[in-house]
């Protein structure tokens, strides 16, 4: 991991998502929630990228209203740029979480979906330093 802009291999950001939640019973009376979603991720090559591609990990997690983590999955995306292209948007495969318990009195809006990049400690520290300016 470098320390200035010329050391960047690539940049990626989550730019859009689509999805839905479904329950197997009427909300408020218990049962289970199913979550389906798909992410769009924009990737841009950096000056230090000599391979024309790369790999990164991201996660999707579900939390309840008490901030308890109910489910989390990590995903890996590998990408390759062809020709002189240096930016692209990838649409990821659909993500599905099933069998999330819905207690009596709970509704779908009682859950939060978290999406982010799975970073190493060095990457996290680098990003935190960038946000200080």
């Amino acid at each position: 991991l470098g320390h200035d802009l010329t050391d960047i291999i690539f940049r990626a950001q989550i730019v859009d998502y689509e999805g839905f939640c479904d329950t197997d019973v009427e909300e408020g009376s218990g049962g289970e929630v199913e979550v389906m979603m798909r992410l769009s991720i924009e990737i841009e090559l950096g000056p230090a990228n000599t391979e024309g591609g790369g790999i990164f990990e991201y996660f999707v997690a579900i939390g309840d209203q008490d901030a308890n983590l109910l489910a989390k999955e990590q995903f890996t995306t590998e990408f390759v740029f062809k020709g002189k292209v240096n930016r692209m948007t990838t649409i990821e495969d659909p993500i599905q979480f099933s069998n999330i318990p819905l207690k009596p009195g709970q509704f779908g809006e009682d859950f939060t979906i978290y999406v982010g990049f799975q970073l190493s400690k060095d990457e996290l520290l680098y990003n935190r330093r960038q946000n200080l300016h």
Side-chain angles (χ1 to χ4, degrees):
L1 186 65
H3 297 288
D4 71 34
L5 292 176
T6 61
D7 295 325
I8 294 173
I9 297 170
F10 66 88
R11 292 178 189 248
Q13 70 178 30
I14 299 164
V15 293
D16 198 11
Y17 70 93
E18 60 182 34
F20 67 90
C21 296
D22 194 18
T23 59
D24 65 351
V25 295
E26 186 175 319
E27 287 193 49
S29 63
E32 295 178 340
V33 175
E34 177 183 25
V35 176
M36 295 279 296
M37 67 183 306
R38 176 177 276 170
L39 302 176
S40 297
I41 301 173
E42 185 178 274
I43 308 163
E44 181 179 3
L45 285 180
N49 193 315
T50 59
E51 303 296 319
I55 190 167
F56 62 86
E57 292 184 336
Y58 65 94
F59 67 87
V60 177
I62 310 289
D64 67 12
Q65 59 198 13
D66 297 320
N68 295 312
L69 185 63
L70 303 176
K72 179 182 177 185
E73 285 194 45
Q74 286 182 222
F75 304 91
T76 301
T77 294
E78 190 168 349
F79 61 93
V80 176
F81 287 90
K82 296 187 189 278
K84 295 186 184 234
V85 174
N86 66 357
R87 180 181 289 186
M88 71 175 164
T89 300
T90 174
I91 299 173
E92 298 298 301
D93 290 335
I95 300 163
Q96 179 177 353
F97 289 94
S98 300
N99 305 321
I100 299 169
L102 185 66
K103 298 174 187 169
Q106 262 187 329
F107 297 91
E109 59 265 13
D110 293 332
F111 299 91
T112 303
I113 299 174
Y114 301 95
V115 179
F117 292 103
Q118 192 66 47
L119 304 177
S120 69
K121 287 183 181 182
D122 285 341
E123 291 167 331
L124 183 59
L125 288 172
Y126 175 81
N127 286 347
R128 287 181 176 163
R129 284 193 306 267
Q130 301 311 304
N131 289 332
L132 293 177
H133 302 298

